[in-house]
Amino acid sequence: CLFAGAGIRLVEAAFTLGTVFDGNEFVTLIADEISPATCRLWDLADNTKLDFERTMLRPEDTIGVYQEVARRL
């Protein structure tokens, strides 16, 4: 798994789904991103939160959290 290989546990993910008609049938699409804003991401070694919960509690950590996840991936 991409996350486990980066030392990150993917605990939960939320996605926005939509349905479009392609001319013949309705097709369901995932229309979202995988980021600390849409997932619960924890460090595999010590369970440090690398997600939106941490950035809500400590807004000053937001840039650092995103940079850490990007660096690992």
Side-chain angles (χ1 to χ4, degrees):
C1 174
L2 174 68
F3 288 102
I8 298 172
R9 177 179 291 122
L10 175 60
V11 178
E12 179 181 35
F15 299 103
T16 301
L17 301 175
T19 304
V20 296
F21 186 69
D22 71 0
N24 296 313
E25 62 186 356
F26 285 96
V27 179
T28 300
L29 302 172
I30 296 175
D32 217 331
E33 76 222 30
I34 296 174
S35 75
T38 61
C39 301
R40 288 195 186 273
L41 305 171
W42 298 353
D43 181 84
L44 272 175
D46 64 9
N47 285 329
T48 300
K49 291 182 167 101
L50 301 168
D51 60 25
F52 65 89
E53 188 175 335
R54 179 169 164 195
T55 62
M56 286 176 37
L57 295 172
R58 296 180 48 92
E60 63 274 15
D61 289 355
T62 301
I63 292 172
V65 166
Y66 273 76
Q67 287 175 336
E68 178 63 18
V69 171
R71 183 189 67 75
R72 291 187 189 196
L73 296 176

